Amino acid sequence: MTDPAPRLQSVVDDFEIACGRLEAILRHIESNGPADRLLRVTMLNNMIVALSATVEETIRSIFSEYLLTLEEEIRDHRNLRKALQNANFDAAVAALKKLKADGEIDRRAQIALNLEKCIKGRESYFLLRDEITYNEANFRTEQVTAIAKRSGLTEILKEVCDCDELEDWTGKENLDTRVTVLVGQWNEIFDERDLVVHKISSANGWGPDRIRQALSLVRLIIGRINICLLNDARTLLRNEALRARG
């Protein structure tokens, strides 16, 4: 059984490098940034956009690596969770409807043949990972939850919050209350991102301390998503190994 930890951790490592760069830029703005308030606010607003984009890319990537692990280790598509099977079928059907150009016929055939492999439990099937991890809007918690459900995880926010770190962060002992607090704080980041991008006149700009708080939160949540996906993948792969042994 292949341990999925290195594959998932590589995504988190890249994320940490990106966060380190954002912190360095933030320190530069504080120490050597322009005196002009408008320019300073603009630079800080760009930090929010960069942070939200980094978070989106990271979450898509870590779920994609999780799915790739399952694809490689669980050889019969029918042994995947039903939600993931359905998501893969839906993604295939949607892709077949979109691929209409003459130059896309090979891809259509590939997806159609893959569907047959999935239905009949044949080896070497593939998951349409880009489609399954696609986010229709900004990565508010609703989008995170949607991708997790398509991937087969139904209670991702509760799993993320079920730890001492989130109890300390939220100051809430009750798990459901922790989730509520997390949803509010996480979504504030993307609400601010939308103000910056779409309603710049309404964006007063977050200060460096507020941006650092957001950085701290997303680092904590990405770390917890990594742990949740790792634990889940290990459980599924153990079950698959037991199934293979009969």
Side-chain angles (χ1 to χ4, degrees), residues 50-97:
L51 175 60
S52 63
T54 301
V55 169
E56 289 188 12
E57 180 182 1
T58 299
I59 293 179
R60 283 195 301 267
S61 295
I62 200 165
F63 271 98
S64 182
E65 291 299 326
Y66 164 84
L67 293 173
L68 182 57
T69 297
L70 301 188
E71 175 188 312
E72 292 177 351
E73 297 294 325
I74 301 178
R75 297 183 178 182
D76 188 332
H77 185 272
R78 297 171 301 182
N79 291 336
L80 297 170
R81 288 191 177 113
K82 293 298 182 183
L84 178 52
Q85 291 184 50
N86 289 333
N88 200 41
F89 288 143
D90 290 344
V93 171
L96 288 172
K97 289 181 179 179

Side-chain angles (χ1 to χ4, degrees), residues 71-227:
E71 175 188 312
E72 292 177 351
E73 297 294 325
I74 301 178
R75 297 183 178 182
D76 188 332
H77 185 272
R78 297 171 301 182
N79 291 336
L80 297 170
R81 288 191 177 113
K82 293 298 182 183
L84 178 52
Q85 291 184 50
N86 289 333
N88 200 41
F89 288 143
D90 290 344
V93 171
L96 288 172
K97 289 181 179 179
K98 291 179 181 178
L99 296 170
K100 297 180 178 180
D102 291 343
E104 296 173 327
I105 190 169
D106 289 343
R107 179 59 175 168
R108 285 172 60 89
Q110 182 187 39
I111 292 173
L113 289 172
N114 183 62
L115 274 174
E116 183 184 19
K117 290 180 180 179
C118 293
I119 292 168
K120 295 185 177 179
R122 294 175 180 169
E123 293 189 5
S124 302
Y125 71 88
F126 60 84
L127 297 171
L128 281 78
R129 293 181 290 128
D130 288 346
E131 289 79 4
I132 294 170
T133 60
Y134 176 74
N135 56 302
E136 297 178 353
N138 285 338
F139 248 103
R140 291 178 175 83
T141 49
E142 182 179 356
Q143 292 295 313
V144 178
T145 299
I147 289 175
K149 286 182 177 179
R150 291 197 296 269
S151 300
L153 295 95
T154 58
E155 296 282 358
I156 189 65
L157 294 183
K158 282 190 175 181
E159 292 181 37
V160 164
C161 289
D162 191 11
C163 65
D164 293 340
E165 294 91 337
L166 263 297
E167 182 175 353
D168 292 341
W169 177 273
T170 62
K172 304 298 181 181
E173 187 173 336
N174 179 269
L175 180 57
D176 289 333
T177 307
R178 276 183 236 166
V179 172
T180 300
V181 173
L182 170 62
V183 168
Q185 293 188 2
W186 180 272
N187 289 344
E188 280 180 3
I189 298 171
F190 292 92
D191 290 341
E192 185 67 17
R193 180 263 178 202
D194 278 359
L195 278 177
V196 169
V197 173
H198 301 297
K199 299 179 180 179
I200 186 64
S201 61
S202 301
N204 295 320
W206 282 0
D209 289 342
R210 182 66 183 87
I211 295 174
R212 282 197 182 90
Q213 182 185 20
L215 264 168
S216 178
L217 176 62
V218 299
R219 278 176 147 163
L220 175 58
I221 300 310
I222 295 296
R224 283 294 302 158
I225 290 175
N226 177 44
I227 291 172

